[in-house]
Amino acid sequence: MRDPAGGPVYGIEDLGAAAELRAALSDLEGAIWTGLVLKGGSLAPADALRDSLTLFGLGFSWGGFESLITHETAQLTHRLNPPSLAGPLLRLHVGLEDPADLITDLEQGFAAWRAQQDSNLQPSA
């Protein structure tokens, strides 16, 4: 699957503990854009992932080298033909920070996403 802007879109299940991102980041020689569709998720877990990241700033890239993240789901609804996605879409601009640090940060984000997903599945008291 491809993002309408041209980058690949991966669901969280497709990453297998971030294995695909780990491989991509290990050979990183420049900044890249990618999108993550958090399959089966809702906005709260997506926000938990985004908010738990420490190396990714919030915002769009204007040609810089910093890692950034944006939550794209809301703006997609304003398109003439909005895509049908299996969950919230986060767009990442992966910058030039140390790949090992970025991987650790993303794994922390995925852990926050999973924890929020799990809390949503618990029956209310």
Side-chain angles (χ1 to χ4, degrees), residues 80-118:
L80 183 59
N81 296 308
S84 176
L85 300 175
L89 172 64
L90 297 177
R91 183 167 288 170
L92 301 172
H93 174 260
V94 181
L96 300 178
E97 295 90 345
D98 185 283
D101 293 341
L102 292 172
I103 291 167
T104 299
D105 201 33
L106 288 168
E107 288 175 339
Q108 172 183 302
F110 294 138
W113 181 84
R114 282 189 294 276
Q116 181 67 39
Q117 282 287 95
D118 291 346

Side-chain angles (χ1 to χ4, degrees), residues 2-3 5-10 21 24-25 28 30-36 56-64 66-72 75 89-95:
R2 305 240 6 125
D3 174 75
V9 176
Y10 300 104
L21 273 176
L25 290 173
L28 186 64
I32 59 170
W33 274 104
T34 191
L36 295 174
F56 286 79
L58 181 60
F60 297 95
S61 174
W62 297 100
E66 304 90 351
S67 291
L68 301 166
I69 188 168
T70 58
H71 197 161
E72 300 292 317
Q75 80 175 24
L89 172 64
L90 297 177
R91 183 167 288 170
L92 301 172
H93 174 260
V94 181

